[in-house]
Amino acid sequence: QFAECSKNILGEYLMSNTNFKLDPMTYTMFIAPVSLIFLSVGVAMTWTPDVAAALMANWHYLLPNMVLAFLLNVIIAIVLKHCSAVGVIMAGISKDILLVVASEQIFRDPVTLQQSIGFAITLAGCATWSVLRLMPSCLLARALETITVMPRDKGEARPLVARGRSRSLV
């Protein structure tokens, strides 16, 4: 989680808060070698001679998987550029909840009471964050600022979706 959050914050900074102003594709090309270094450490620590044979036997599964992973990274960069690091993390959490609910409905996998409570708390947090971001001067926002003794964050005032005009995703 720490590495993913750090990557998202770095991406938001590089694509919007610096002189670089990277586009999503350039950001993906920028972050790929860094990710390769960290992943190579794990591969080196778990390498066995059977890996090369398994790679040759399963290349037809790995090739589409690599394409999908690349496209996912580009999509994440696009969302990161147009939303924020918090928005990307919240979208990931919501996706996880939807996958668990779909698995429960389609495959009848059991969902425990603890999971249900965790999902409810998570969704309440996402909804609260959305309300605070869209309506920073509403009663709920002012009450939470008072209770938590937190000043209003001026950096999160930009809406997730532009109103009244269409924006390109790239």
Side-chain angles (χ1 to χ4, degrees), residues 41-58:
V41 171
V43 168
M45 292 174 59
T46 60
W47 183 266
T48 64
D50 301 336
V51 171
L55 174 70
M56 296 308 290
N58 296 303

Side-chain angles (χ1 to χ4, degrees), residues 98-111:
L98 287 174
L99 285 173
V100 170
V101 170
S103 176
E104 190 268 335
Q105 292 295 312
I106 296 169
F107 302 115
R108 300 291 181 219
D109 288 339
V111 176

Side-chain angles (χ1 to χ4, degrees), residues 7 10-11 14 26-37 73:
K7 180 185 77 112
L10 175 66
L14 287 174
T26 307
Y27 168 73
T28 302
M29 291 180 358
F30 174 80
I31 205 73
V34 176
S35 298
L36 178 65
I37 291 169
N73 282 319

Side-chain angles (χ1 to χ4, degrees), residues 20-170:
F20 295 122
K21 300 279 186 187
L22 299 177
D23 62 286
M25 186 65 81
T26 307
Y27 168 73
T28 302
M29 291 180 358
F30 174 80
I31 205 73
V34 176
S35 298
L36 178 65
I37 291 169
F38 285 102
L39 291 172
S40 296
V41 171
V43 168
M45 292 174 59
T46 60
W47 183 266
T48 64
D50 301 336
V51 171
L55 174 70
M56 296 308 290
N58 296 303
W59 69 269
H60 54 285
Y61 296 119
L62 293 173
L63 187 61
N65 187 18
M66 288 185 286
V67 171
L68 286 174
F70 172 76
L71 292 174
L72 178 64
N73 282 319
V74 172
I75 290 169
I76 288 171
I78 290 169
V79 172
L80 192 58
K81 182 176 178 87
H82 292 285
C83 291
S84 67
V86 175
V88 170
I89 298 299
M90 283 180 38
I93 290 169
S94 300
K95 173 203 56 125
D96 293 343
I97 291 172
L98 287 174
L99 285 173
V100 170
V101 170
S103 176
E104 190 268 335
Q105 292 295 312
I106 296 169
F107 302 115
R108 300 291 181 219
D109 288 339
V111 176
T112 65
L113 178 63
Q114 183 179 11
Q115 287 175 310
S116 299
I117 292 170
F119 293 157
I121 291 170
T122 301
L123 289 174
C126 291
T128 302
W129 182 83
S130 298
V131 168
L132 294 177
R133 181 151 180 177
L134 292 174
M135 299 178 286
S137 59
C138 74
L139 180 62
L140 176 63
R142 290 195 313 264
L144 284 173
E145 286 174 4
T146 304
I147 292 169
T148 59
V149 191
M150 289 181 52
R152 186 171 296 164
D153 183 11
K154 305 291 188 224
E156 287 288 334
R158 186 178 59 181
L160 289 176
V161 179
R163 294 183 188 164
R165 61 186 169 116
S166 64
R167 288 173 49 172
S168 171
L169 290 179
V170 181

